[in-house]
Amino acid sequence: MKPESLMMSHGYKPELSQGAVKCPIFLTSTFVFSSAEEGKDFFELAYGHRQSKPNEELGLIYSRINNPNLEILEDRLTLWDAAAGSAVFESGMSAISTVLLEFLKPGSLLLYSAPVYGGTHHFIHHVLTKFGIDAIEFGVNDQQDEIIQKIEASGKAKDLALIYIETPANPTNDLFSILDMVKLGKKYSEENGHKVFVAVDNTYLGPLWQKPLQLGADITVYSATKYLGGHSDLIAGAVMGTSEVIPRVKTLRTFLGNMISPHTAWMLLRSLETLQIRMERQQVNAIEVARFLEMHPKVEKVYFLGEGGQVSAASQKIYQEQCLGPGAMISFDINGNEQTAFAFLNRLKLFKLAVSLGSTESLAEHPATMTHVDIPLADKLKMNITEKLIRLSIGVENLQDLISDLNQAFEA
Ligand SMILES: Cc1ncc(COP(=O)(O)O)c(C=O)c1O
């Protein structure tokens, strides 16, 4: 069956919860063992002191290690990305930082695409550096041979351990090729004699419109705060991956203690039931909003992956290779300056002036002074993050109401 058919039931057994159709919230820190032998057995497996027997599942021990809400959520999430497994976290940043800490060690080299989410950038430059982990970045205009030159020029090619990309790039929808990164990972895995893992932050398009694991990536990370949660009412994160990756991520999570809470996991289970219809409606609205913006005399340029958008030729080629839809994130240059952009933002009524994305309500923000304020001006300009740029996250509202709201703000 398709994931959308299984989102209401997969992984949940009503007979274990008094027949309740919906999974209850398991607000308990610990679980009763039926015998001391059973407790010993569970711990041996949890701590990797023995291999699991055929069809054996880890018994419930303690909510930092496992909890029914967390496990059912993980089972359901794997369906969207056809992942071997998943691990859920208390935020997107905890998912990302756990992956970076697990697959890098002192002396390692990290290769990453720029721009990445500000929190990820901060973690790479202010936390990983404390552990002696070096990072080099590449941009959308760098060709594969230029990226290889950068790796070689670092003098640490042999220590390359992780390739991390965020695609589409926030806020301009520029794309990075997952297939190229998988090739690069293979090349250096062979040359270095150890596996170079490839991780993709798939928050912007996933899990409906981009499936990095199917293109050969080892790890997909999500801010589940965005589309997966979809209602701007929770903070959470997720990692999807191969059977080699997920046990390692879960073990580190156990000791960092940054797993999702039962309550947040339950809210996400509820969100997943409508994930597909929400995202489809958001995309349909976004395609029409992009067309409207494209025609509007006060708009200079629209950054959108679908019709009505003006992304680079390189991004269009990558779009054909790896994207299943244009998504619901649109940025555009307003004809004017910061003052014009602010006047427009201040007049919006239905669109809420707030950061974040992927939710049922439409949001608008000014990247240069808000989400991307930390990026040095010269870099911002290179990435087209100018004072004219406005970012929209399109929700599920009535399309005409959205367009009327934009129209009246332009008139202002
Ligand atoms: C692309 C991307 N990745 C990761 C994050 C971090 O997620 P969270 O805020 O859930 O920690 C964000 C947050 O905005 C994001 O936009």
Side-chain angles (χ1 to χ4, degrees):
M1 284 185 214
K2 297 281 189 294
E4 62 270 27
S5 306
L6 296 171
M7 279 308 112
M8 283 59 78
S9 59
H10 184 70
Y12 171 63
K13 297 185 181 127
E15 63 275 20
L16 298 181
S17 296
Q18 309 276 7
V21 167
K22 289 293 163 192
C23 177
I25 310 182
F26 288 84
L27 288 177
T28 183
S29 55
T30 193
F31 296 86
V32 177
F33 304 131
S34 62
S35 66
E37 287 77 9
E38 184 183 77
K40 179 183 174 192
D41 207 32
F42 288 179
F43 265 94
E44 277 176 352
L45 186 58
Y47 280 72
H49 292 182
R50 66 172 175 84
Q51 294 292 308
S52 57
K53 299 166 203 154
N55 298 324
E56 184 186 11
E57 282 177 22
L58 178 63
L60 294 164
I61 298 177
Y62 181 67
S63 286
R64 180 159 47 77
I65 299 172
N66 53 10
N67 172 288
N69 297 111
L70 174 150
E71 290 191 337
I72 295 166
L73 174 61
E74 286 173 347
D75 285 347
R76 288 190 193 170
L77 277 177
T78 58
L79 298 177
W80 291 104
D81 286 86
S86 88
V88 284
F89 289 84
E90 63 189 354
S91 67
M93 271 319 298
S94 49
I96 292 165
S97 53
T98 304
V99 164
L100 294 174
L101 289 174
E102 178 54 33
F103 295 97
L104 296 165
K105 60 179 192 233
S108 292
L109 179 69
L110 164 72
L111 173 75
Y112 75 97
S113 63
V116 282
Y117 172 64
T120 311
H121 190 268
H122 184 95
F123 195 83
I124 292 172
H125 290 278
H126 298 281
V127 182
L128 292 183
T129 43
K130 286 201 274 189
F131 297 100
I133 296 165
D134 288 341
I136 47 174
E137 65 173 48
F138 65 97
V140 272
N141 297 323
D142 287 320
Q143 303 299 312
Q144 190 87 333
D145 53 341
E146 290 167 314
I147 301 172
I148 293 173
Q149 271 166 26
K150 282 189 176 178
I151 297 171
E152 297 298 329
S154 75
K156 293 198 66 179
K158 284 265 165 274
D159 299 309
L160 182 67
L162 182 67
I163 300 171
Y164 181 98
I165 59 169
E166 187 180 304
T167 185
N170 179 2
T172 50
N173 271 321
D174 275 315
L175 293 175
F176 291 93
S177 166
I178 297 171
L179 289 175
D180 280 358
M181 291 305 114
V182 170
K183 272 190 219 145
L184 204 60
K186 281 211 179 96
K187 169 181 153 64
Y188 280 99
S189 297
E190 280 162 19
E191 287 178 20
N192 291 357
H194 61 80
K195 173 120 178 103
V196 177
F197 290 89
V198 176
V200 181
D201 183 331
N202 199 30
T203 302
Y204 233 60
L205 276 188
L208 247 62
W209 305 311
Q210 189 169 258
K211 297 180 186 286
L213 300 180
Q214 292 181 10
L215 297 169
D218 304 289
I219 303 161
T220 295
V221 295
Y222 286 105
S223 166
T225 312
K226 316 298 189 223
Y227 288 103
L228 296 175
H231 295 75
S232 296
D233 56 6
L234 61 84
I235 299 280
V239 178
M240 312 285 147
T242 56
S243 51
E244 187 185 359
V245 159
I246 295 300
R248 288 180 58 174
V249 171
K250 281 189 178 170
T251 302
L252 184 57
R253 181 185 65 181
T254 294
F255 298 104
L256 292 175
N258 54 1
M259 69 292 152
I260 203 167
S261 76
H263 186 260
T264 307
W266 182 89
M267 287 176 67
L268 268 166
L269 286 175
R270 187 171 173 146
S271 290
L272 287 184
E273 297 190 7
T274 54
L275 178 75
Q276 174 152 321
I277 55 172
R278 280 187 283 111
M279 289 185 80
E280 280 176 351
R281 169 65 177 260
Q282 285 172 271
Q283 182 169 268
V284 166
N285 276 352
I287 290 169
E288 293 306 323
V289 169
R291 277 199 192 122
F292 161 79
L293 290 171
E294 171 72 0
M295 305 298 289
H296 202 282
K298 289 183 177 133
V299 172
E300 281 181 2
K301 183 170 178 188
V302 179
Y303 304 81
F304 181 61
L305 290 169
E307 211 184 300
Q310 297 156 35
V311 291
S312 66
S315 288
Q316 280 167 23
K317 181 178 166 282
I318 300 171
Y319 179 83
Q320 300 303 331
E321 272 171 17
Q322 71 188 39
C323 305
L324 303 166
M329 292 299 298
I330 307 172
S331 293
F332 67 94
D333 288 332
I334 196 162
N335 188 345
N337 51 23
E338 181 179 301
Q339 208 187 345
T340 329
F342 280 14
F344 171 84
L345 288 167
N346 288 337
R347 281 296 285 260
L348 288 169
K349 293 190 175 109
L350 187 57
F351 279 79
K352 299 295 168 245
L353 178 48
V355 297
S356 201
L357 59 106
S359 183
T360 44
E361 75 284 319
S362 295
L363 301 173
E365 66 116 3
H366 188 249
T369 58
M370 296 172 192
T371 44
H372 295 70
V373 66
D374 238 12
I375 301 177
L377 183 63
D379 292 345
K380 269 196 273 206
L381 297 180
K382 254 195 279 168
M383 297 172 199
N384 291 330
I385 306 174
T386 65
E387 56 184 325
K388 306 187 218 186
L389 189 75
I390 290 169
R391 188 187 80 178
L392 303 177
S393 169
I394 305 299
V396 300
E397 299 92 338
N398 176 278
L399 177 62
Q400 281 319 314
D401 288 343
L402 289 174
I403 290 179
S404 303
D405 194 33
L406 295 171
N407 218 8
Q408 64 81 27
F410 278 125
E411 293 315 310

